[in-house]
Amino acid sequence: MSHRSERRGIHVDQSELLCTKGCGFYGNAAWQGLCSKCWREEYQQTRHKQIQEDHALAERLQKEEEAAYANNHQGATQPQPAIAPFSKFEERKTKEKSRKVNTMTKFFTPSAKTPPKKESVPGEALSTPSPSVSRKPLETDRTTQEFIDFLKTLKPGREIFKQCRAFTESMAYKRDLGADELSECVQDFYQNLSDRLHTHFKGSSERVESVMDEVERYMMTRLYEEVFCPETTDDEKKDLAIQKRIRALHWVTIEMLCVPVDEEIPEVSDNVVKAITDVIEMDSKRVPRDKLTCITRCSKHIFNAINTTKKEAASADDFLPTLIYIVLKANPPRLQSNIQYITRFCNPSRLMSGEDGYYFTNLCCAVAFIEKLDGQSLNLSVEEFDLYMSGQASPQRPQAVPSPACSAAFSQMNDSLDLLTGLGVRQERVMEGARRLESDLIDWRDGVEHKVQDVLERFPLEMHPPASPTASSAIDADNVENDHLPSPLQPQLFAG
C-alpha cells in the first residue's frame, strides 16, 4: 500500500470565521474575509478613490484640450463649444459623488419638489398598490399586501412604503449595472433606512429589525428576477462547477470525513434527511432571509443528529465536517448563486452576528473546503484520491455490524433470503423441465408428421366413382345364376 501522509483533517478555528479587521463580526469569503460593514467601507473607499482619479483625469484632459485650443486659435476671445464636453463630464462626476448623500435626506418629510396632489382618504396610499405592482405574479401581490398591512400600524408607514416602492421601480432602469453596483444600491438603501428608523424609534433595535425584515421581504420579492444570478456575473458558471465537483466526490464516505453521525439510528437518519431537504429547499425561496432560515434549520438538524449520536453536546469541530457531508449528499441546486444572492442583498446585520450569520459563514467555509478537497484531507494518498476521482476505483465501504437487539430480525431476514434462494433454484429446475418437455413434444409431433407423410407417399389414396343405387342394393347382384331361383316364400296367415 502506498504511503499516506499525515492527515490534515477538517478543522476551522472559530477566529477564522470572524472579520479579518478584528471588528468581532462574522466575515465572508466573498468579501475577502471581511464582514459586510468593513467590506462596504472598503468598497466605498475604493469607489471614492476611483471617482477622484476619474475626476483628475477629466481635469487633465480638459487642460490639455484648452492648451491645444489656445495654441491653434491665437487671439480668439469668445469661448468655444469644444471645451463644453469636458465641463459636462466634470459636472456629471461631481453629481455622481454627491448622489448617494442626497438620496434620502428628506426621508420622513414630503419633498418640496413634489407636485401637490388631490385630497385623499387617510391610508389610501397604503391600500392601493401601483399598477406596476398589480402586474407582478401572485406571490409578489401577496407580499405587497402583507407589507401594506404591516406598515399600517406604523406612523411613518406611508412614507416608508412610498420610498420602498420608488426604489424598487427605479431598479428596473439599472439592469445593466454590475452585481456589485446593484448590491451597493440596495445596501445603501438599507443603511439609510435603518439610520432613519433608529432615529425615529429612538434606538429600539428590535423594532428597527422587524421593519427592516419586512422591507427586505417586500423589496427582494419584487427584485428577485432582476438581481438573482444576473447575466453580468459568472454565478451560473460557478454553479455548474461546484455541482460537477460535488458529483465527482460521490464516493466520499462518512468515515473519510470523520463525521460523528450514526445513520443506523432512526432518529439520526431522520435528522439527516431533514437537513438535506432544508438545504435543497433554500433555492425555492425568493427572500434572502428565508434562504438563511433554511440554512439555520439545516444546521439545527445537524446538531440534533450529532447530539443524538454522541449523547453529548456537539462542538464546532463536529459541525463543519457534518455540514460538508450534508452538502455532498444534497448537491443543492444553484448553490453559488444562492450564496452570492444572500451575500449581496441580505440585511447586513443578519450576516454580521447571530446564529444566522454563524451558520451562513460555516456554509461558505464548507463550500470552500469542497472546492479545495484533496486526498490529505480524507486521509488518502494522492494515487488513491486520483483513482477515486477518475472513477477507476471505488473505496471499500465497511460492513455494518448488527447490534444484539437486531440479531433476531437479521436472522429472520437471512432465513427468508435463504428460502427465497431455494425457491428460486426450484423454480429454475421446474422451468428447465418444462422447456425439455416442450422440446420433446415438438420433436414427437415432427416425427408423427414425417411418418404419416411417408405412408401417404407410398400408398397414395385412390378415389373411385360411386356405384348406382340399384346395383348397390343387392349383395349378389353380379351372380347371373340368381335369375333362375324361385321367388321367395311369402308369409301366410292361418286362422286358428
Side-chain angles (χ1 to χ4, degrees):
M1 181 179 293
S2 59
H3 174 69
R4 297 186 180 183
S5 57
E6 183 180 356
R7 181 168 189 171
R8 182 169 61 204
I10 305 173
H11 172 75
V12 175
D13 196 302
Q14 293 303 295
S15 61
E16 299 178 12
L17 303 178
L18 301 178
C19 177
T20 55
K21 277 200 168 184
C23 64
F25 296 121
Y26 291 120
N28 193 312
W31 295 328
Q32 301 176 4
L34 302 174
C35 67
S36 60
K37 181 176 178 293
C38 296
W39 169 254
R40 290 189 70 247
E41 292 176 355
E42 291 282 340
Y43 180 82
Q44 289 175 353
Q45 290 177 3
T46 304
R47 184 176 179 183
H48 182 67
K49 182 179 179 181
Q50 183 65 41
I51 292 175
Q52 288 181 332
E53 292 177 354
D54 293 343
H55 185 69
L57 176 62
E59 288 182 343
R60 182 171 61 82
L61 292 175
Q62 181 178 352
K63 291 179 180 179
E64 292 177 357
E65 182 69 18
E66 289 175 349
Y69 181 80
N71 293 333
N72 294 331
H73 299 79
Q74 293 293 336
T77 57
Q78 297 296 329
Q80 300 298 323
I83 309 177
F86 293 96
S87 300
K88 292 182 179 179
F89 179 82
E90 180 181 0
E91 182 181 354
R92 285 198 303 269
K93 284 297 180 181
T94 304
K95 290 182 178 180
E96 179 67 20
K97 289 172 61 178
S98 60
R99 179 181 58 81
K100 291 199 302 178
V101 179
N102 298 327
T103 301
M104 298 183 63
T105 54
K106 297 181 179 180
F107 180 76
F108 288 108
T109 58
S111 173
K113 298 181 181 179
T114 304
K117 298 182 179 180
K118 63 181 181 178
E119 294 295 329
S120 59
V121 181
E124 181 180 356
L126 296 182
S127 60
T128 306
S130 66
S132 62
V133 178
S134 62
R135 291 193 294 268
K136 293 292 182 179
L138 180 61
E139 181 178 356
T140 305
D141 294 340
R142 184 175 63 251
T143 303
T144 301
Q145 189 58 49
E146 292 174 352
F147 186 52
I148 291 173
D149 295 339
F150 173 80
L151 293 178
K152 285 181 179 180
T153 61
L154 303 177
K155 185 177 180 180
R158 179 181 301 180
E159 195 65 29
I160 293 175
F161 180 76
K162 287 169 57 179
Q163 293 289 340
C164 292
R165 182 176 62 183
F167 177 79
T168 54
E169 290 176 351
S170 68
M171 290 291 287
Y173 303 100
K174 301 178 182 179
R175 295 176 181 175
D176 295 334
L177 294 179
D180 291 336
E181 287 77 10
L182 292 174
S183 173
E184 185 68 15
C185 292
V186 174
Q187 294 297 333
D188 281 343
F189 185 85
Y190 284 161
Q191 186 63 48
N192 292 327
L193 177 58
S194 177
D195 293 342
R196 296 285 179 174
L197 290 175
H198 274 289
T199 302
H200 177 78
F201 291 119
K202 295 180 173 46
S204 178
S205 300
E206 293 183 359
R207 297 192 65 184
V208 172
E209 287 299 320
S210 65
V211 175
M212 291 303 300
D213 288 342
E214 295 301 323
V215 168
E216 177 189 307
R217 180 177 301 279
Y218 167 74
M219 288 176 47
M220 300 318 301
T221 301
R222 297 188 63 183
L223 297 175
Y224 178 80
E225 300 294 340
E226 286 77 15
V227 300
F228 182 85
C229 192
E231 296 180 356
T232 57
T233 66
D234 58 349
D235 292 349
E236 185 175 359
K237 182 179 179 180
K238 292 180 179 178
D239 288 334
L240 296 176
I242 190 63
Q243 193 174 49
K244 181 179 179 181
R245 175 69 172 176
I246 293 176
R247 197 178 296 121
L249 293 169
H250 67 91
W251 48 268
V252 176
T253 63
I254 199 170
E255 291 78 18
M256 293 179 180
L257 294 171
C258 295
V259 176
V261 166
D262 184 5
E263 292 188 84
E264 297 296 330
I265 303 175
E267 184 178 353
V268 174
S269 177
D270 185 56
N271 277 292
V272 169
V273 171
K274 289 180 180 178
I276 294 173
T277 303
D278 287 330
V279 76
I280 292 176
E281 186 183 358
M282 173 179 60
D283 184 59
S284 65
K285 305 299 182 182
R286 300 169 70 93
V287 183
R289 183 192 175 193
D290 293 342
K291 293 181 182 290
L292 276 180
T293 301
C294 291
I295 297 174
T296 301
R297 285 204 310 266
C298 167
S299 302
K300 290 184 176 180
H301 287 311
I302 290 175
F303 273 108
N304 290 336
I306 298 174
N307 294 340
T308 303
T309 302
K310 298 182 65 177
K311 298 186 181 347
E312 61 182 22
S315 64
D317 291 339
D318 297 330
F319 171 68
L320 184 58
T322 311
L323 179 59
I324 294 171
Y325 175 69
I326 293 297
V327 173
L328 289 176
K329 290 196 69 173
N331 198 357
R334 301 192 293 185
L335 180 57
Q336 288 286 9
S337 291
N338 282 289
I339 290 177
Q340 293 298 327
Y341 178 69
I342 295 172
T343 300
R344 293 167 184 155
F345 302 106
C346 184
N347 186 349
S349 62
R350 289 197 170 274
L351 301 183
M352 293 165 58
S353 59
E355 62 178 8
D356 289 344
Y358 174 77
Y359 294 139
F360 178 71
T361 304
N362 274 274
L363 177 62
C364 296
C365 291
V367 174
F369 180 85
I370 291 173
E371 292 175 337
K372 301 176 181 179
L373 188 66
D374 56 12
Q376 190 176 7
S377 301
L378 302 175
N379 197 27
L380 299 174
S381 65
V382 177
E383 295 78 8
E384 289 174 325
F385 183 81
D386 292 340
L387 285 175
Y388 296 157
M389 288 295 293
S390 63
Q392 300 179 17
S394 297
Q396 296 294 331
R397 301 180 183 271
Q399 298 293 331
V401 179
S403 61
C406 300
S407 59
F410 276 109
S411 177
Q412 184 177 1
M413 181 183 66
N414 292 329
D415 293 342
S416 300
L417 290 175
D418 293 340
L419 179 60
L420 288 175
T421 302
L423 290 175
V425 172
R426 291 175 59 186
Q427 181 183 14
E428 184 61 29
R429 202 177 300 146
V430 171
M431 292 300 297
E432 182 65 25
R435 285 192 289 269
R436 283 200 304 269
L437 177 60
E438 182 181 11
S439 177
D440 293 343
L441 288 174
I442 293 174
D443 294 341
W444 176 81
R445 183 189 64 186
D446 293 342
V448 171
E449 289 180 353
H450 182 70
K451 290 181 180 179
V452 170
Q453 189 64 28
D454 289 344
V455 171
L456 291 177
E457 290 177 356
R458 285 188 295 168
F459 306 100
L461 182 63
E462 298 180 359
M463 304 297 293
H464 297 283
S468 61
T470 305
S472 61
S473 61
I475 298 176
D476 51 356
D478 295 334
N479 192 349
V480 181
E481 297 180 355
N482 291 340
D483 295 338
H484 302 287
L485 292 177
S487 301
L489 298 176
Q490 296 293 328
Q492 296 179 4
L493 181 66
F494 295 92

